[in-house]
Amino acid sequence: MSHPTALIIGASRGLGLALAEEWLNRGWRVIATARGGSDRLAELNLRFSDALEIEHADIVQADTVRALGTRLRGREVDVLFVNAGIARSNDKTPVDVGEQDFVDMMLTNALAPVRTVELLGERVASDGVIALMSSELGSIANSTGFWPLYSSSKAALNMLMKGYAAERPHDPRALLLIAPGWVRTDMGGEEATLSIDESIPLVVDMVEANRGKAGLRYVDRFNRELPW
Ligand SMILES: NC(=O)c1ccc[n+]([C@@H]2O[C@H](COP(=O)([O-])OP(=O)(O)OC[C@H]3O[C@@H](n4cnc5c(N)ncnc54)[C@H](OP(=O)(O)O)[C@@H]3O)[C@@H](O)[C@H]2O)c1
């Protein structure tokens, strides 16, 4: 029996690297992308040389995503997971943020992930899952105003995926906007409430549980729907 395949975009470190490792440990094949070199991915490749392929893509550079799509032509994956994201000027407001930080977040966290789905989505099996790393902070309904600029970029990501789904009412794939919890990574910081091991295995369980279930959902790691 052939092994399922996950294509993880933005897997050099943090949650993306952990997603790659979790699926490799479960016997999946993984295509993991980084925009630069990644010692951590290279280490993983020593342990899983048969099952892991390391690819290059910078989601802000659309040509690199197109080129990846060309290299993957003729192949099918079971999960496409767009994980890449950035957080800048977390405590700033619209009046004191450096505008470029806001533009960079909107590009990296909202426009580029959905463009990546547009460019690579046809590689995903009809019973597969297209997942994007959103955030609890992307919920407008639940917002407390924490990290307002980053949160706006995740809310924009959610909205753009609404548009993607609306244009494809008969898409058989599950389309998931995932909130992984507040996790200790370079972005989450040391004060975050969860370790990577307390989040990522649940995220992977949840993605697997959604295979074959069409439709767009904004969900947490327990597969509970979140208010938009
Ligand atoms: N940690 C949390 O508590 C938390 C909570 C909710 C949501 N999230 C989301 O989860 C995702 C991963 O976060 P993390 O905590 O693992 O952050 P992280 O440790 O800062 O890692 C971010 C990852 O995104 C990659 N990346 C950034 N810009 C990219 C680009 N233009 N093209 C390709 N890859 C790019 C980074 O690659 P480089 O190594 O090249 O920089 C790195 O692999 C993000 O989307 C984040 O917003 C995190």
Side-chain angles (χ1 to χ4, degrees):
M1 205 181 93
S2 69
H3 300 277
T5 301
L7 168 57
I8 303 167
I9 307 296
S12 61
R13 58 195 167 94
L15 301 184
L17 180 76
L19 286 169
E21 185 168 9
E22 182 67 23
W23 264 309
L24 287 165
N25 279 326
R26 294 183 186 203
W28 285 47
R29 295 192 60 79
V30 171
I31 306 167
T33 77
R35 58 178 166 169
S38 166
D39 293 344
R40 304 283 306 280
L41 264 183
E43 277 169 29
L44 205 55
N45 204 29
L46 293 177
R47 285 170 46 213
F48 295 99
S49 55
D50 290 344
L52 173 62
E53 291 170 62
I54 301 175
E55 271 287 358
H56 173 257
D58 180 333
I59 61 167
V60 171
Q61 308 293 330
D63 287 352
T64 69
V65 180
R66 280 197 189 88
L68 174 63
T70 302
R71 292 194 293 282
L72 296 177
R73 196 170 282 156
R75 295 181 62 180
E76 191 173 78
V77 302
D78 301 282
V79 172
L80 165 62
F81 202 127
V82 184
N83 168 73
I86 59 171
R88 304 269 185 273
S89 296
N90 298 329
D91 300 324
K92 303 279 189 192
T93 68
V95 79
D96 58 7
V97 67
E99 288 177 358
Q100 194 59 48
D101 278 353
F102 185 65
V103 170
D104 288 346
M105 282 193 287
M106 281 301 201
L107 259 179
T108 306
N109 295 351
L111 185 86
V114 179
R115 180 173 63 198
T116 299
V117 168
E118 297 255 9
L119 293 173
L120 300 179
E122 67 184 26
R123 303 266 65 83
V124 181
S126 56
D127 63 348
V129 178
I130 295 176
L132 300 97
M133 205 63 104
S134 182
S135 170
E136 279 81 356
L137 298 180
S139 169
I140 292 174
N142 281 348
S143 177
T144 61
F146 186 74
W147 287 16
L149 304 167
Y150 169 85
S151 300
S152 305
S153 71
K154 291 296 188 179
L157 168 71
N158 291 359
M159 179 63 91
L160 287 169
M161 274 308 288
K162 279 257 183 183
Y164 178 93
E167 283 171 16
R168 297 164 179 77
H170 307 297
D171 193 328
R173 285 89 53 91
L175 307 174
L176 303 179
L177 289 154
I178 297 176
W182 187 18
V183 191
R184 291 188 290 277
T185 61
D186 293 340
M187 182 187 295
E190 287 178 3
E191 68 279 24
T193 48
L194 301 174
S195 68
I196 286 178
D197 287 344
E198 288 170 320
S199 168
I200 288 304
L202 293 174
V203 169
V204 168
D205 285 347
M206 188 270 287
V207 169
E208 292 185 14
N210 276 281
R211 289 172 76 186
K213 297 180 182 163
L216 176 67
R217 290 178 288 283
Y218 175 34
V219 280
D220 70 7
R221 63 191 184 283
F222 303 110
N223 208 18
R224 294 181 301 215
E225 296 216 19
L226 296 172
W228 293 84

